[in-house]
Amino acid sequence: SNILLFEQQRETIRRLEEVDQLKDEFVATIAHDLRSPLSTVVGMAELLRTRWTELADKDRLDMAETIEDNAAALAQFAEEVLDVAALDSGRFRFEVRPFDMSALLKRTAAHFRAGSGGRQIKVQIQPGMPSPVGDERRTWQVLTNLISNALKFSSADDPVEIAAARSSEGVEVSVRDFGSGIEPDRQGAVFDRFTRLSGSNHGSPSGAGLGLYISRSMVEAQGGRLWVTSTPGEGSIFSFSLPCTNGG
């Protein structure tokens, strides 16, 4: 029994060391992700303050826009870190009730069309689709993340296709892009924390790589699942399911 006790203690120590290492990695990554946009904000603000009179109006506007973009990225990152902490501790709140998925998809697609300079975002909804049971706001968050990624990882000429239909699990929604796709050995890792994929639009501040981890956690907490199918060179389809009032 002493040997068994010793093994249990050793296993406990190993797990604690693992948790400690994960926490250290988490903190290091957060610090790293904060540094770049913060440096940009501070640098641009300092330039505006010290060289305000010399700068042309267009340069001032460009700098203000860069500050705004990076500050928005920081705000989103702060939200994501808080979401991860709440999900991990089981304190995440969901308001679960039936909602109109097709209305949510159309509204979200229209929002992205307006905000992405008229990118082609197609929506195809199966007629007579049942209402899923879930948290509409959190589902919107998942959808927003998937559409943002689809736009980021495909070229401006390529469409993004959103489809929704009844499935054996309830309602299934898929977001398809025609980007470079994901290598088979990387497909599982895209849902891990802090996993980044290389996008085609390198101009925007890069995300923290928490979006898909949060999205999958949110969908699973609502009794659904989120997965990817992808062919390198042809694009990716991110799909998620949610249960229905009548079970499908």
Side-chain angles (χ1 to χ4, degrees):
S1 64
N2 279 354
I3 293 170
L4 185 65
L5 192 67
F6 176 70
E7 283 298 327
Q8 285 172 340
Q9 285 174 339
R10 198 161 67 171
E11 176 64 11
T12 304
I13 290 165
R14 191 189 63 75
R15 279 188 189 162
L16 285 170
E17 283 172 348
E18 208 172 84
V19 167
D20 211 38
Q21 189 187 340
L22 281 170
K23 188 193 73 187
D24 289 349
E25 285 171 14
F26 191 72
V27 171
T29 311
I30 287 172
H32 177 268
D33 280 315
L34 289 174
R35 189 182 292 145
S36 176
L38 271 175
S39 300
T40 304
V41 168
V42 171
M44 291 280 176
E46 190 181 3
L47 268 174
L48 281 172
R49 182 179 58 80
T50 55
R51 296 183 50 205
W52 181 267
T53 48
E54 309 161 37
L55 292 165
D57 284 352
K58 187 189 178 303
D59 293 335
R60 287 183 201 153
L61 281 170
D62 285 348
M63 286 182 185
E65 195 179 334
T66 303
I67 290 171
E68 186 182 357
D69 286 349
N70 280 273
L74 283 168
Q76 188 188 346
F77 181 46
E79 283 294 317
E80 288 181 345
V81 171
L82 289 170
D83 282 348
V84 166
L87 283 161
D88 284 357
S89 65
R91 288 182 289 107
F92 206 83
R93 302 289 296 275
F94 288 96
E95 289 178 27
V96 176
R97 58 171 72 95
F99 67 92
D100 186 341
M101 179 67 90
S102 48
L104 176 67
L105 294 180
K106 287 170 184 169
R107 193 167 68 240
T108 311
H111 163 83
F112 272 99
R113 275 189 211 107
S116 63
R119 283 283 299 268
Q120 223 187 334
I121 300 169
K122 301 173 180 177
V123 181
Q124 191 172 19
I125 296 158
Q126 187 182 48
M129 195 178 67
S131 295
V133 178
D135 186 316
E136 184 170 2
R137 189 171 154 266
R138 300 302 181 191
T139 304
W140 170 81
Q141 215 175 322
V142 171
L143 198 55
T144 298
N145 182 262
L146 297 182
I147 298 170
S148 297
N149 283 350
L151 290 168
K152 195 191 298 180
F153 297 114
S154 55
S155 78
D157 303 327
D158 288 327
V160 167
E161 294 178 355
I162 302 161
R166 180 192 289 270
S167 78
S168 59
E169 294 171 47
V171 164
E172 187 177 305
V173 176
S174 64
V175 177
R176 180 178 189 177
D177 68 67
F178 295 87
S180 54
I182 306 161
E183 294 295 332
D185 61 337
R186 297 275 295 143
Q187 287 174 22
V190 298
F191 299 104
D192 294 346
R193 285 186 201 184
F194 299 120
T195 297
R196 279 203 188 85
L197 296 171
S198 50
S200 58
N201 308 348
H202 297 293
S204 56
S206 64
L210 286 170
L212 286 172
Y213 171 78
I214 292 168
S215 296
R216 176 175 266 187
S217 302
M218 280 182 180
V219 170
E220 287 178 352
Q222 295 177 75
R225 56 189 194 98
L226 194 159
W227 67 97
V228 64
T229 52
S230 183
T231 308
E234 290 177 25
S236 305
I237 304 170
F238 282 86
S239 309
F240 67 91
S241 65
L242 285 178
C244 285
T245 35
N246 55 6

